[in-house]
Amino acid sequence: MANCFKNFKLNLAVFFIYGLIWLIFLTCKKTFSDTKLPENPCVVVFWHGRLAFMSFAYLRYWRRDYKGKKHGKVIISDHRDGELITRIIKFFGIGTIRGSSSKGGARALIDAFRQHKNGVDVIITPDGPRGPRHSIADGAVVIAQKTKSKIYALNYEASSFWQLKSWDEMIIPKPFSTINFSLSQAFDISDLQSLQAKEKIQNVLWLASENDGGKSVEQNKNDFVENLKKWWVKNKDKDIKIDENLKDLL
């Protein structure tokens, strides 16, 4: 009975959020970059803080541009929030690969390689599921380099938005605002060391934010260090691994 009630509450939240984001989206002015994804499978990255409305980017760059013939799957954590996200994006026709750096990571990597081999794009939030905000976990680098794939960065910025007090500082566009969606040009990290590859992904995403009307690259860099220090204060006593290069910034 308890599980049935939990599932009912979860489904209620799913339908409410799905309806709400569509309602907001329909009131907004939207722009999309003219960039197109390649026909062959690739790796796509975007910040966890842009999850709220990124399904609409999928409708454009996958469903509309390829008339439903191209597919992507998002790596989503096995945590409770991950189940909520999985059910919402399923309504947009977006599949998932379950697992993350903190739980089920090996399983997610194996599934990601299998999906990519089958022609499916692998979509990753490199700072998810628990941060630090705007950090780059190993998964995005490993998948891109092992599959010899080009990477594309997705982003959106809104002229007016609510910013949640969550670790990822997620933004939710306000009704009647302007939302600028962008897909970057392809970039390659195949010949880069892990640290260089992570910095490349980070900077491409920050540049997308600047170009879409968000914070500048320099502002994002400063915010990253500030948020990293706050994140470390909250999590340093937990059993959480952090890259040595990030420790140097603390």
Side-chain angles (χ1 to χ4, degrees):
M1 181 64 72
N3 286 336
C4 287
F5 183 63
K6 286 182 180 179
N7 195 50
F8 172 75
K9 289 199 299 182
L10 181 59
N11 284 329
L12 195 64
V14 167
F15 285 113
F16 174 77
I17 295 172
Y18 176 73
L20 180 63
I21 61 177
W22 259 114
L23 183 62
I24 294 174
F25 182 77
L26 291 172
T27 70
C28 293
K29 179 182 178 181
K30 285 82 65 176
T31 68
F32 292 87
S33 66
D34 293 330
T35 328
K36 290 191 69 173
L37 290 163
E39 293 185 5
N40 54 301
C42 61
V43 173
V44 178
V45 294
F46 67 88
W47 294 130
H48 199 276
R50 297 299 182 271
L51 256 173
F53 275 57
M54 203 54 81
S55 294
F56 297 109
Y58 186 89
L59 293 181
R60 168 59 184 262
Y61 297 114
W62 280 265
R63 296 286 293 276
R64 176 178 164 180
D65 285 354
Y66 280 91
K67 297 179 173 57
K69 295 180 180 179
K70 185 175 178 63
H71 302 282
K73 290 191 175 183
V74 187
I75 296 182
I76 299 290
S77 75
D78 279 330
H79 299 97
R80 182 178 59 185
D81 291 347
E83 182 60 26
L84 176 67
I85 295 166
T86 295
R87 296 193 187 192
I88 293 170
I89 66 176
K90 186 177 181 180
F91 283 111
F92 291 89
I94 307 172
T96 56
I97 298 168
R98 301 304 298 272
S100 65
S101 57
S102 59
K103 186 179 180 182
R107 185 182 74 249
L109 275 177
I110 292 171
D111 194 11
F113 291 140
R114 181 174 61 84
Q115 296 292 342
H116 186 277
K117 186 177 181 180
N118 291 334
V120 177
D121 296 336
V122 179
I123 308 170
I124 307 169
T125 55
D127 57 344
R130 295 182 175 179
R133 178 178 178 268
H134 287 192
S135 61
I136 307 295
D138 293 333
V141 175
V142 171
I143 293 170
Q145 292 186 336
K146 292 292 185 181
T147 60
K148 296 181 172 58
S149 294
K150 294 290 196 298
I151 302 180
Y152 291 78
L154 267 181
N155 189 64
Y156 74 79
E157 302 294 340
S159 60
S160 181
F161 56 87
W162 293 289
Q163 187 170 58
L164 303 186
K165 294 182 179 180
S166 51
W167 69 265
D168 59 357
E169 297 183 3
M170 183 175 288
I171 70 166
I172 301 173
K174 290 184 177 180
F176 305 103
S177 62
T178 297
I179 310 174
N180 298 319
F181 291 91
S182 70
L183 176 70
S184 76
Q185 297 292 333
F187 62 97
D188 190 6
I189 60 167
S190 58
D191 295 329
L192 300 179
Q193 296 296 318
S194 179
L195 178 57
Q196 295 173 315
K198 290 179 180 182
E199 290 176 346
K200 176 70 174 179
I201 295 170
Q202 200 175 43
N203 281 306
V204 171
L205 282 165
W206 284 341
L207 182 60
S209 172
E210 180 175 285
N211 291 340
D212 294 338
K215 293 182 178 180
S216 68
V217 173
E218 194 62 33
Q219 286 174 314
N220 273 308
K221 284 182 179 179
N222 293 335
D223 284 354
F224 171 63
V225 175
E226 182 179 343
N227 283 313
L228 176 63
K229 292 177 179 178
K230 292 178 181 177
W231 180 90
W232 182 244
V233 169
K234 292 181 180 179
N235 294 280
K236 63 181 179 181
D237 295 326
K238 300 178 183 178
D239 185 23
I240 297 177
K241 295 181 181 179
I242 184 171
D243 285 355
E244 289 299 322
N245 67 297
L246 296 183
K247 287 183 179 181
D248 293 339
L249 298 175
L250 297 173

